[in-house]
Amino acid sequence: MILVGNKCDLEDERVVGKDQGQGLARQWNSAFLETSAKSKINVNEVTLHCPYIQESLANAKRKV
């Protein structure tokens, strides 16, 4: 399992701090990543951790 915090590019609008996310991930014994699609931060890293996303992306490419 991986806990993902999104929109990390919006630092001023943050509701959950990075430390909180890391702490919760530690409690759940999982990985933690913050992402931003807009800024292209950790988007590829998340897909590498999620086989379901990899499969969905592969299927979408086949349809094009």
Side-chain angles (χ1 to χ4, degrees):
M1 176 169 65
I2 182 170
L3 178 61
V4 179
N6 68 337
K7 299 186 184 260
C8 68
D9 58 306
L10 301 176
E11 187 65 36
D12 294 340
E13 299 176 36
R14 184 180 286 274
V15 175
V16 177
K18 185 174 184 175
D19 291 340
Q20 288 175 286
Q22 289 172 328
L24 186 57
R26 230 177 282 115
Q27 286 178 3
W28 290 350
N29 197 30
S30 69
F32 175 72
L33 281 175
E34 289 194 313
T35 64
S36 168
K38 183 178 180 179
S39 300
K40 297 180 176 81
I41 299 170
N42 287 332
V43 175
N44 291 334
E45 288 78 359
V46 169
T47 60
L48 293 174
H49 287 286
C50 299
Y52 175 77
I53 294 173
Q54 289 176 353
E55 183 179 336
S56 295
L57 290 172
N59 289 337
K61 287 179 183 177
R62 284 188 214 120
K63 291 179 182 178
V64 173

